[in-house]
C-alpha cells in the first residue's frame, strides 16, 4: 500500500475503492469521485506508476487518495485492500469495480486452452467481480454503493466479442440478486454498461477505419469518453439512491 494524500486522513469523508483505477474509465471514476469529496483508494494490478499518477491528480485537485495493489481474483489480496482502506480512511462507502481485460477473436479461433486468454478474462472479469463484490457487501457501510461494470456489447452483439461478453453478461445477471442479498442495509448494487469508449482497452488493436465505423454507429456521432461513464458512476455512488439492482447502459443511445 503506497500513500498519496493532501494533508492526512480525514475520517469524516466518504471513502471509495476504485478497482482498475489506473485505467481509462477507472481513472476517470477515481478523479470524479475525488472531486465529489470522496477519499479514493486507487487499485491497480501491475502498474504502480500509473496508479500513483492518478492518486497525485486527485490530491492536486484538493482530494485525498492512496494506491493499493491486488489481483482482483485473489480473495486475500482484495480483503487486504479493503482493510487498508478502513485503516487509512476509516471505512468503505463506495466500491467501483472497473478492473477488467478484453481479448477479442471469433470464438472458433479464440485461445481456449487452459490458462489462455479466455481463462484470463473469466478469472479477472467474472471471478474478480465475484470476489470484489463479496468483499464489498461484507464491508460497505450503510448508505453505501457497489457499482460493477459490464458492456453494451451484451446488446450490440458484435462479432469477435463472444467470450468477453460471456464474462460480462454474468455480471449483469448477478446485479439484481446482489441488491436483494443486502436488503435492509441501505446499500445499492448496480452495474454500468458502457458503449464503445475511447480507452486503451477499447482502442488497442483497432485501426482507424474500425474506430470511425463504431463511432458512426452512435446517434451522438462519437465514441464515449471515460468522463461520460464516470458521470453515471458518480450518480450511482451519490444521489442515485433509488436506482438499485439495475444495469445502466451508458452508451449515447447505441443499440
Amino acid at each position: 500500500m503506497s500513500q498519496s494524500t493532501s494533508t492526512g486522513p480525514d475520517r469524516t469523508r466518504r471513502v471509495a475503492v476504485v478497482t482498475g483505477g489506473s485505467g481509462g474509465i477507472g481513472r476517470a471514476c477515481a478523479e470524479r469521485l475525488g472531486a465529489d469529496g470522496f477519499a479514493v483508494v486507487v487499485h491497480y494490478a501491475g502498474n504502480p506508476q500509473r496508479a500513483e499518477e492518478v492518486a497525485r491528480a486527485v490530491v492536486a485537485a484538493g482530494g485525498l487518495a492512496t494506491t493499493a495493489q491486488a489481483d482482483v481474483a485473489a480473495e486475500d489480496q482484495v480483503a487486504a485492500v479493503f482493510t487498508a482502506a478502513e485503516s487509512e480512511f476509516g471505512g468503505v462507502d463506495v466500491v467501483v469495480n472497473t478492473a477488467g481485460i478484453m481479448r477479442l477473436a471469433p470464438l472458433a479461433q479464440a485461445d481456449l486452452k487452459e490458462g489462455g486468454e479466455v481463462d484470463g478474462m473469466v478469472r479477472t472479469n467474472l471471478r474478480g467481480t465475484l470476489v470484489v463484490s463479496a468483499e464489498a457487501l461484507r464491508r460497505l457501510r450503510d448508505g453505501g454503493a457497489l457499482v460493477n461494470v459490464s458492456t453494451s456489447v451484451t446488446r450490440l452483439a458484435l462479432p469477435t466479442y463472444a467470450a468477453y461478453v460471456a464474462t460480462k453478461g454474468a455480471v449483469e445477471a448477478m446485479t439484481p440478486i446482489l441488491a436483494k442479498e443486502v436488503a435492509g442495509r441501505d446499500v445499492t448494487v448496480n452495474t454500468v454498461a458502457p458503449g464503445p469508449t475511447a480507452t486503451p482497452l477499447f482502442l488497442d488493436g483497432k485501426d482507424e477505419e474500425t474506430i470511425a465505423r463504431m463511432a458512426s454507429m452512435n446517434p451522438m456521432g462519437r465514441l464515449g469518453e471515460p468522463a461520460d461513464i464516470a458521470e453515471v458512476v458518480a450518480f450511482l455512488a451519490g444521489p442515485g439512491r433509488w436506482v438499485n439492482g439495475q444495469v445502466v447502459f451508458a452508451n449515447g443511445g447505441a443499440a
Side-chain angles (χ1 to χ4, degrees):
M1 188 82 171
S2 59
Q3 183 178 343
S4 176
T5 62
S6 55
T7 55
D10 179 355
R11 297 178 187 273
T12 65
R13 294 197 185 205
R14 298 184 77 206
V15 180
V17 173
V18 181
T19 73
S22 62
I25 290 174
R27 175 171 187 156
C29 291
E31 292 185 4
R32 172 59 186 268
L33 292 174
D36 286 351
F38 285 83
V40 183
V41 178
V42 182
H43 159 270
Y44 66 96
N47 193 323
Q49 291 79 20
R50 285 197 310 179
E52 290 288 354
E53 181 181 320
V54 176
R56 286 194 296 270
V58 173
V59 170
L64 296 175
T66 190
T67 65
Q69 189 277 335
D71 173 358
V72 291
E75 294 176 83
D76 57 341
Q77 295 182 36
V78 170
V81 172
F82 280 76
T83 297
E86 291 170 344
S87 175
E88 185 70 26
F89 296 124
V92 179
D93 300 286
V94 169
V95 175
V96 182
N97 187 29
T98 77
I101 58 176
M102 181 169 65
R103 302 289 184 265
L104 302 181
L107 188 60
Q109 283 84 53
D111 179 6
L112 289 165
K113 67 178 180 292
E114 187 172 353
E117 289 185 345
V118 171
D119 277 10
M121 286 194 291
V122 171
R123 176 175 173 79
T124 298
N125 300 352
L126 178 50
R127 177 177 169 79
T129 298
L130 288 166
V131 170
V132 171
S133 295
E135 199 64 34
L137 298 181
R138 295 183 191 111
R139 306 269 197 137
L140 284 170
R141 295 187 284 204
D142 287 354
L146 168 61
V147 183
N148 284 317
V149 175
S150 179
T151 172
S152 287
V153 186
T154 55
R155 291 187 177 178
L156 296 174
L158 301 175
T160 75
Y161 281 79
Y164 175 70
V165 165
T167 67
K168 292 299 190 176
V171 176
E172 295 184 13
M174 74 176 72
T175 300
I177 297 171
L178 298 184
K180 292 176 181 177
E181 288 183 353
V182 289
R185 282 189 47 204
D186 190 24
V187 169
T188 63
V189 181
N190 293 289
T191 290
V192 175
T197 304
T199 67
L201 181 72
F202 172 77
L203 297 173
D204 183 41
K206 294 182 176 68
D207 58 32
E208 290 185 11
E209 180 183 356
T210 300
I211 293 168
R213 184 177 70 254
M214 296 188 77
S216 70
M217 293 167 56
N218 195 298
M220 305 294 285
R222 65 175 177 86
L223 295 177
E225 294 293 337
D228 296 322
I229 312 307
E231 183 175 12
V232 178
V233 169
F235 174 73
L236 296 173
R241 300 303 301 166
W242 201 236
V243 181
N244 191 21
Q246 304 301 309
V247 179
V248 181
F249 286 82
N251 59 24

